[in-house]
Amino acid sequence: MSVIDLKAEGVALFKDQEWYRAIEKFEKALESLTTGSVTSCGSSVLYRTDSGDYRSGIVSDFDEGLVEVLFDDAEDEEVQVKPSKLTPIAEDRELQRSLYMNCARAEFKLGKNGRSANKASLALAVTRVLDGGFRAETSLQGEDDAFRKKMADGLSIRGQALLKAGKHVMAQQHADLLIGEGIDEAKGKALAKEVLAFRTKRMKSNRELSKQLASWVEGAMEENQKITKEQGQEER
C-alpha cells in the first residue's frame, strides 16, 4: 500500500474517531516515507536538542558508528550522534510534515500530550526545512500566509498539548509567539484563553486545598488538646 493510501486511511479513521488505528496508519506511512535509517553523506536529518525541539542538518561524515551532522541554521556548528538519535527527512517533505501533524492531533485526542507535543515539534522542524530559511518562530513577520499557517498549526497543537500536560508557562509562550509575531492572532488568543482558564482553575483548587488543610490542622490541634486535658485529669 502506498504512503498516500495509508494517509487517506488514517484520515478516514481519524474522522471516525478511531484515534489508535489512525495513528498506526500515519506512523506506518511515515516509516515507509523516511525508510527509518540514515545511510549516506548528504542525507537531510532532524536532530533532537536537549530542550526537546529539533534542528535540521546534513550528514557530513560517519566515524566509528557515529554520524556527524552539520546544522542548516549554523554552518560552522556540527554534532556527533548515534544514528538512532536522528530522524530522516523525506524527499516529499510536505507529506512528512502533514503526517506528523495528523499524528500530533490524534495523540492529543487520546490525551498522550508528550507524544503529541513531540510530533508537533517534528512537524515544525520540517516546516522550517520547507521554507528554506530555517528561521525561528520569532522571525516570521512578513512571511507568506501558507508558511505562517503551517507554523501556526504546529505551535497551536504543541501549545495545547503542553497545557494539558500542566506546562502552562510554556503554553503561554506559544500563545505569545502566535500573537506577538503575527503568526496567527486568533489561534494565539484562543490558546491564551485556555491558559487563563487553566490557571484560574488551579488557583481555585489550591485555595480549596489550603482551606481543607487548615481545617484538618485545626481539628488535629483540638483533638490533641482534648487528649492532653484527659491525660491531666487521669494523673490527678
Side-chain angles (χ1 to χ4, degrees):
M1 185 177 293
S2 72
V3 173
I4 297 297
D5 289 338
L6 285 167
K7 180 186 176 183
E9 286 194 3
V11 170
L13 289 166
F14 185 94
K15 290 179 179 178
D16 289 338
Q17 300 184 15
E18 296 280 352
W19 317 124
Y20 283 107
R21 293 179 62 198
I23 291 169
E24 287 178 359
K25 295 295 182 180
F26 295 143
E27 290 188 337
K28 189 172 182 179
L30 280 165
E31 184 179 355
S32 298
L33 190 66
T34 61
T35 70
S37 62
V38 180
T39 58
S40 62
C41 291
S43 298
S44 295
V45 294
L46 296 176
Y47 166 72
R48 187 173 186 179
T49 66
D50 292 338
S51 67
D53 210 347
Y54 290 86
R55 295 175 68 184
S56 63
I58 301 294
V59 173
S60 60
D61 198 4
F62 291 86
D63 183 20
E64 297 183 355
L66 297 178
V67 181
E68 292 184 5
V69 178
L70 190 64
F71 291 118
D72 289 325
D73 57 0
E75 293 184 358
D76 58 344
E77 184 181 356
E78 63 180 9
V79 66
Q80 272 194 337
V81 295
K82 294 180 179 180
S84 60
K85 297 293 184 181
L86 300 172
T87 300
I89 298 177
E91 290 187 14
D92 192 337
R93 294 165 181 177
E94 175 53 37
L95 180 55
Q96 185 178 13
R97 183 205 68 82
S98 177
L99 286 166
Y100 281 139
M101 282 301 302
N102 288 345
C103 281
R105 294 186 180 103
E107 299 281 12
F108 182 75
K109 291 289 187 181
L110 290 169
K112 296 186 176 183
N113 303 307
R115 291 178 63 89
S116 176
N118 183 58
K119 286 297 195 300
S121 293
L122 284 162
L124 285 165
V126 176
T127 301
R128 286 190 284 269
V129 174
L130 279 167
D131 168 59
F134 314 110
R135 288 183 289 274
E137 289 83 353
T138 53
S139 60
L140 300 182
Q141 287 187 341
E143 291 303 309
D144 65 89
D145 291 342
F147 177 62
R148 280 191 286 110
K149 183 182 184 306
K150 291 170 185 174
M151 295 301 292
D153 288 344
L155 288 169
S156 179
I157 190 67
R158 188 170 69 177
Q160 292 177 65
L162 289 168
L163 181 59
K164 290 293 185 181
K167 299 181 179 181
H168 60 94
V169 174
M170 295 179 69
Q172 183 62 55
Q173 291 172 346
H174 281 60
D176 293 341
L177 270 174
L178 287 163
I179 298 169
E181 298 304 320
I183 300 172
D184 192 317
E185 186 174 355
K187 278 186 170 63
K189 287 183 176 180
L191 180 57
K193 186 176 180 180
E194 291 182 36
V195 172
L196 179 60
F198 175 89
R199 289 173 173 172
T200 300
K201 183 178 180 180
R202 173 171 284 189
M203 287 177 64
K204 288 181 179 179
S205 177
N206 288 343
R207 283 198 295 266
E208 183 61 31
L209 183 61
S210 295
K211 288 179 182 179
Q212 293 175 1
L213 181 60
S215 177
W216 179 85
V217 170
E218 184 179 355
M221 290 179 66
E222 290 177 354
E223 185 66 22
N224 184 61
Q225 290 174 353
K226 181 180 178 181
I227 293 172
T228 302
K229 184 176 180 181
E230 290 175 350
Q231 289 176 341
Q233 290 175 345
E234 289 176 359
E235 290 175 357
R236 292 183 193 144

